[in-house]
Amino acid sequence: MSGLIIRLLLMICVERPIPKGTVKGDPFCFDKDIKFFNDRGTATSFADFYKEGHFIFEAKQGGTHNKGTARRGTKNYDLAMEGAFYQARKYAHSPFLPNKPPFVITCDIDSHFELWMSFSGNYGGYGASEVIELDRLLDEKIFDHFVAIFSDPQSLNPENYRARVTREVARTLAKLAKWLEEQGKEPQEVANFLMHSTACNLEVSIKKRQVDHSMR
């Protein structure tokens, strides 16, 4: 599994993980220790790959014959991939982690990735995943998406995007209002125009989001 990840990191030009035990708390490593409370106190499991504030990653190896986790396209394979998600989600909710990572990622090595994004820790169920085949990493948009996951996941936070767009729109509308007033337009006329423009922009934004969602 680590070989695949190293190749991926090299391809998207982001830093490699730090050897486990090198840095206190292992914020970016393979085989991350994940602690939990249980009836006897605490127990420790191991996440395949982890980066603090970024993701929890679990990998499986599907196959076409009787090798790997299970044969792709079979019920056992589906159950194994679903189990990988619930395992990773459990790790993400460990009270011993400093925060819940915004991404839960599972992977069938040599086949595809499955992504769940949540900046609130509510990743949803297994069916909420975004499936990305390995060859789709050649797509510039998908490539940039992975770069952001590994280097700047907050840039993908919808709340940050909405806040940034809102500020930009507000600045633009303020400049437009000032210009219209300088042209001798009445305040009420300016206000009506700006309200109409805002409504049109909102409608376009909603339609674009619907189109983007349908293309996933």
Side-chain angles (χ1 to χ4, degrees):
M1 189 276 293
S2 60
L4 168 69
I5 299 302
I6 293 298
R7 292 196 300 273
L8 173 63
L9 296 178
L10 289 173
M11 185 177 75
I12 63 178
C13 301
V14 297
E15 62 180 338
R16 295 189 182 195
I18 303 166
K20 185 176 178 180
T22 303
V23 177
K24 183 179 180 180
D26 291 318
F28 185 28
C29 69
F30 293 117
D31 297 322
K32 166 71 175 178
D33 292 3
I34 306 291
K35 291 185 178 181
F36 296 95
F37 290 113
N38 62 16
D39 294 340
R40 298 180 180 179
T42 61
T44 301
S45 294
F46 304 93
D48 286 339
F49 190 27
Y50 169 80
K51 188 173 185 181
E52 183 179 315
H54 291 65
F55 56 79
I56 284 273
F57 191 112
E58 281 294 307
K60 299 295 181 183
Q61 174 70 72
T64 55
H65 300 290
N66 294 323
K67 295 182 179 180
T69 300
R71 183 185 300 178
R72 296 186 183 106
T74 65
K75 182 65 174 179
N76 285 341
Y77 173 81
D78 293 340
L79 290 174
M81 294 306 298
E82 184 175 357
F85 162 68
Y86 286 112
Q87 183 179 24
R89 190 179 70 172
K90 177 183 177 182
Y91 292 162
H93 284 97
S94 168
F96 291 93
L97 293 180
N99 49 56
K100 294 181 177 66
F103 284 90
V104 166
I105 306 173
T106 63
C107 174
D108 173 1
I109 298 172
D110 298 329
S111 175
H112 67 275
F113 296 94
E114 297 181 25
L115 311 179
W116 292 261
M117 181 179 78
S118 175
F119 290 86
S120 65
N122 180 20
Y123 306 99
Y126 180 64
S129 69
E130 177 184 4
V131 179
I132 298 179
E133 305 294 335
L134 289 183
D135 58 6
R136 290 185 64 201
L137 289 173
L138 298 175
D139 182 289
E140 183 178 357
K141 185 176 180 181
I142 299 298
F143 181 90
D144 290 344
H145 191 66
F146 265 82
V147 172
I149 290 172
F150 278 77
S151 59
D152 185 19
Q154 286 299 324
S155 67
L156 303 174
N157 188 335
E159 291 300 322
N160 291 344
Y161 174 77
R162 281 193 287 268
R164 184 170 65 252
V165 170
T166 298
R167 289 193 298 269
E168 291 173 355
V169 170
R171 284 195 293 267
T172 300
L173 291 178
K175 292 178 181 178
L176 179 58
K178 182 179 180 181
W179 181 82
L180 289 172
E181 290 176 353
E182 290 173 350
Q183 304 309 306
K185 302 296 182 181
E186 293 295 327
Q188 187 60 48
E189 186 179 3
V190 172
N192 290 338
F193 174 78
L194 294 179
M195 288 178 64
H196 178 72
S197 298
T198 302
C200 289
N201 286 332
L202 178 60
E203 182 179 0
V204 170
S205 177
I206 291 173
K207 289 182 178 179
K208 183 179 183 300
R209 184 176 299 179
Q210 291 172 339
V211 170
D212 290 343
H213 182 74
S214 66
M215 293 177 64
R216 286 187 175 183

